[in-house]
């Protein structure tokens, strides 16, 4: 078990492998294939990755890589198998609060308390660009399942869409909720966007000709 709060969870594509991260700076990999027969799980692999708290993590398509971010501002990339280190992505100047792999698993987006969204090439382990627009820090990200588009939400209560081919800002839904936005998620077909946060409501935006409403 983790020593302290568990702040982030992510399933691998196989649906039976779970990765967790928490205040102890450790990543743990859990095998849920025999969950019905077990009341308490033992981590298959665990490794101390961060000096500070882990606040977010993501597993890439194909179950090859795990990215984790936290209070140190850096992003650690590890192999899912064995949690062997691959590299560290540095550039954010404050806590990293959101991570999301592109569908191809080769690029990563990150959101931080420094109010920037950064994009990373995982083959070269380099930053490829910044998306600027949120007035306050971003808390959640999601890539469109079939288009070069990213959506973000955060403390400023706005939902923002980004064209990843040009890096340009697109549609902005201001005051989508009455409080911090903590989760944005496209439906599997990309035609709907689910938004939730500290507001007690969950809203659904439908794709229309001019954007999502």
């Amino acid at each position: 078990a983790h020593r302290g709060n568990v702040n982030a969870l992510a399933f691998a594509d196989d649906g039976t492998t779970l990765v967790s991260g928490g205040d102890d700076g450790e990543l743990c990999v859990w095998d849920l294939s025999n969950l019905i027969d077990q009341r308490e799980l033992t981590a298959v692999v665990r490794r101390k990755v961060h000096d500070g708290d882990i606040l977010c993590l993501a597993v890439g398509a194909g179950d090859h890589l795990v990215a984790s971010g936290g209070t140190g501002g850096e992003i650690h990339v590890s192999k899912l198998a064995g949690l062997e280190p691959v590299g560290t992505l540095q550039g954010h100047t404050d806590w990293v609060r959101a991570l999301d792999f592109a569908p191809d698993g080769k690029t990563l987006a990150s959101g931080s308390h420094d109010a920037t969204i950064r994009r990373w090439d995982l083959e070269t382990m380099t930053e490829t660009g910044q998306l600027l627009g949120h007035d306050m820090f971003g808390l959640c990200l999601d890539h469109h399942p079939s288009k070069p588009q990213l959506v973000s939400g955060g403390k400023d209560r706005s939902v923002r869409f980004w064209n990843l081919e040009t890096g340009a800002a697109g549609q902005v839904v201001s005051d989508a909720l009455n409080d911090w936005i903590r989760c944005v998620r496209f439906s599997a077909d990309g035609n709907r966007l689910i938004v939730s946060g500290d507001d007690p409501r969950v809203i659904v935006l439908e794709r229309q000709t001019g954007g999502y409403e």
Side-chain angles (χ1 to χ4, degrees), residues 20-153:
S20 60
D23 288 352
D24 54 11
E26 291 188 347
L27 286 177
C28 294
V29 178
W30 310 85
D31 180 3
L32 305 186
S33 59
N34 295 317
L35 184 60
I36 295 177
D37 300 324
Q38 301 181 46
R39 293 188 177 182
E40 186 171 338
L41 294 174
T42 301
V44 177
V45 183
R46 65 187 311 148
R47 186 172 71 84
K48 176 77 171 178
V49 178
H50 293 252
D51 292 332
D53 302 355
I54 294 175
L55 300 176
C56 55
L57 60 87
V59 178
D63 296 347
H64 300 304
L65 297 177
V66 179
S68 55
T71 54
E74 74 280 355
I75 300 164
H76 290 277
V77 181
S78 311
K79 293 182 180 179
L80 179 58
L83 294 178
E84 297 176 18
V86 174
T88 303
L89 305 174
Q90 295 181 321
H92 284 297
T93 58
D94 210 330
W95 294 7
V96 177
R97 292 298 300 264
L99 294 168
D100 192 59
F101 281 90
D104 63 6
K106 297 178 181 179
T107 58
L108 180 75
S110 59
S112 167
H113 278 208
D114 64 14
T116 68
I117 297 168
R118 298 175 189 247
R119 300 183 64 211
W120 311 87
D121 182 329
L122 298 179
E123 294 183 338
T124 61
M125 300 297 287
T126 57
E127 182 181 321
T128 60
Q130 297 183 28
L131 306 175
L132 305 175
H134 281 285
D135 297 330
M136 303 176 190
F137 53 80
L139 293 169
C140 49
L141 300 166
D142 196 35
H143 284 85
H144 191 282
S146 59
K147 295 181 178 180
Q149 186 180 52
L150 181 75
V151 65
S152 61

Side-chain angles (χ1 to χ4, degrees), residues 163-182:
N163 184 325
L164 297 183
E165 289 184 331
T166 65
Q171 180 187 2
V172 178
V173 181
S174 300
D175 294 324
L177 294 177
N178 295 325
D179 211 327
W180 296 12
I181 295 172
R182 295 187 180 271

